[in-house]
Amino acid sequence: MHPAGLQAFDRRKEEKTGIYSYEQRHSVRLDAAYEREFRANKNAWGFFKDQPPSYRTAATYWVMSAKREETRRRRLAKLIDDSAEGRRVPPLTPPTKKK
């Protein structure tokens, strides 16, 4: 690293580190009550656990990053419903190619 980069790194503030969503997404976990609710639906939980870690991480972050409780609940319900049907939630589903 160049000296200017090292100086900038030394001047960083700890409270400003890791504040962006892409920096926090790997540390997010489902709330214990949410996870119990999710595990209660065996088909949904099985599908979810069979998905790649990148999807599980993104889906968990999608649910838990909502600021309002009702939004988190609505997203969790959508995740459970879609998982039970064997499909990914729409925000994390790749677009299909048009013919």
Side-chain angles (χ1 to χ4, degrees), residues 8-9 11 29 34-35 37 40 48 50-51 57-58 71 83 93 95-96 99:
F9 185 78
R11 287 192 311 267
R29 296 183 55 98
Y34 291 0
E35 188 170 331
E37 186 178 334
F48 183 73
D50 287 343
Q51 297 306 297
T57 299
T71 306
S83 295
T93 303
T96 57
K99 291 183 180 181

Side-chain angles (χ1 to χ4, degrees), residues 73-96:
R73 284 253 155 234
R74 188 176 65 245
R75 288 180 181 182
L76 178 65
K78 179 70 174 156
L79 178 60
I80 292 171
D81 290 345
D82 285 349
S83 295
E85 294 295 322
R87 63 179 180 258
R88 294 180 175 191
V89 291
L92 302 175
T93 303
T96 57

Side-chain angles (χ1 to χ4, degrees), residues 2 5-6 26 30 33 36 44 54 64 68 76 80 92 99:
H2 294 281
L6 290 170
H26 295 293
L30 280 176
R36 276 192 304 275
S54 58
M64 298 306 296
R68 299 173 64 188
L76 178 65
I80 292 171
L92 302 175
K99 291 183 180 181

Side-chain angles (χ1 to χ4, degrees), residues 8-69:
F9 185 78
D10 290 337
R11 287 192 311 267
R12 77 189 186 288
K13 295 180 178 146
E14 211 46 50
E15 66 273 3
K16 295 274 188 174
T17 302
I19 60 173
Y20 299 104
S21 61
Y22 70 89
E23 297 171 307
Q24 298 174 5
R25 69 186 184 276
H26 295 293
S27 63
V28 173
R29 296 183 55 98
L30 280 176
D31 183 70
Y34 291 0
E35 188 170 331
R36 276 192 304 275
E37 186 178 334
F38 202 165
R39 284 178 183 262
N41 186 322
K42 301 291 185 200
N43 290 338
W45 185 252
F47 174 82
F48 183 73
K49 293 311 279 182
D50 287 343
Q51 297 306 297
S54 58
Y55 173 77
R56 293 192 315 258
T57 299
T60 300
Y61 185 78
W62 177 67
V63 171
M64 298 306 296
S65 66
K67 293 179 182 172
R68 299 173 64 188
E69 176 67 19

